[in-house]
Amino acid sequence: PLYVYYIFKRFMDVFLSFFAGLLSLLIYPFVYLAIKLEDRGPIFIVQERVGKNGRPIKIFKFRSMTTDDKGKWVVKNDPRITKVGSFLRKSRIDELPQLWNVIKGDISLIGPRPELPKFVEIYDKDIPYYGMRHLIKPGLSGWAQIHHKKPPQSVEETKEKLAYDLYYIKHRSIMLDIEIALKTIKTLLSRTGM
């Protein structure tokens, strides 16, 4: 039954995020030094995203750009991305602070990625059934992330990504979550050359 899945999912979210969060604290001083040595700017950014049932949530990330993206699509070789930020993004280290968002309950480890409110407004108008992705908690990684090499940069690409999100919502299960988690880990290890 679905309620058993949700209980298990929440338990795993808290259990895994707590220990991964503690381990990730070992990396924080190195990220702090790298960001500060490059441009002396702030270490973290806080962004508003759209969560479950369209509720606004605030997520934490290591700063990877010279400025906040202000709701603009990030493009290949984007001049706003710092050298340190480029590494943080490729390795997904920039998203480690979101483990605390998972513990708090705003997001899950697995689910559709939370979007910026500005984009959600556009997609709600231009893409049928877009709002259905907000029926469940967003996640750090998801079915769409393991099938898309880069974030969508147009309404058309977002339509394709939505198809993956809706597939996940319809077929979500413990086994599918485990499959996504394992494929995410494999992708991260391949990006870091391990």
Side-chain angles (χ1 to χ4, degrees), residues 110-167:
I110 307 295
R113 287 292 292 145
E115 280 288 358
L116 291 156
K118 181 179 177 179
F119 288 154
V120 170
E121 203 175 315
I122 295 166
Y123 301 151
D124 272 337
K125 289 177 187 170
D126 296 346
I127 305 174
Y129 309 112
Y130 185 80
M132 288 185 70
R133 72 193 302 277
H134 300 127
L135 292 173
I136 63 172
K137 274 186 196 177
L140 267 179
S141 185
W143 193 241
Q145 279 63 48
I146 62 174
H147 287 90
H148 273 245
K149 299 297 180 194
K150 60 181 179 60
Q153 296 174 353
S154 69
V155 170
E156 284 308 310
E157 288 180 12
T158 302
K159 284 181 184 177
E160 187 181 334
K161 179 176 173 281
L162 177 64
Y164 288 107
D165 288 336
L166 295 182
Y167 175 90

Side-chain angles (χ1 to χ4, degrees), residues 70-125:
K70 305 285 186 197
K72 294 177 184 173
W73 274 305
V74 177
V75 296
K76 190 176 181 181
N77 301 320
D78 197 310
R80 295 171 296 169
I81 298 174
T82 64
K83 287 177 184 174
V84 170
S86 179
F87 171 76
L88 295 178
R89 282 172 170 261
K90 282 177 186 169
S91 61
R92 301 277 294 268
I93 288 173
D94 66 319
E95 296 186 359
L96 284 177
Q98 289 175 57
L99 290 168
W100 308 110
N101 287 110
V102 176
I103 293 170
K104 187 181 169 192
D106 288 333
I107 62 175
S108 179
L109 288 173
I110 307 295
R113 287 292 292 145
E115 280 288 358
L116 291 156
K118 181 179 177 179
F119 288 154
V120 170
E121 203 175 315
I122 295 166
Y123 301 151
D124 272 337
K125 289 177 187 170

Side-chain angles (χ1 to χ4, degrees), residues 31-45 62-67 82:
V31 175
Y32 173 88
L33 280 172
I35 290 173
K36 284 296 182 185
L37 287 172
E38 184 170 25
D39 66 6
R40 297 195 175 104
I43 306 306
F44 300 102
I45 62 163
F62 285 122
R63 183 176 60 85
S64 61
M65 303 175 82
T66 51
T67 59
T82 64

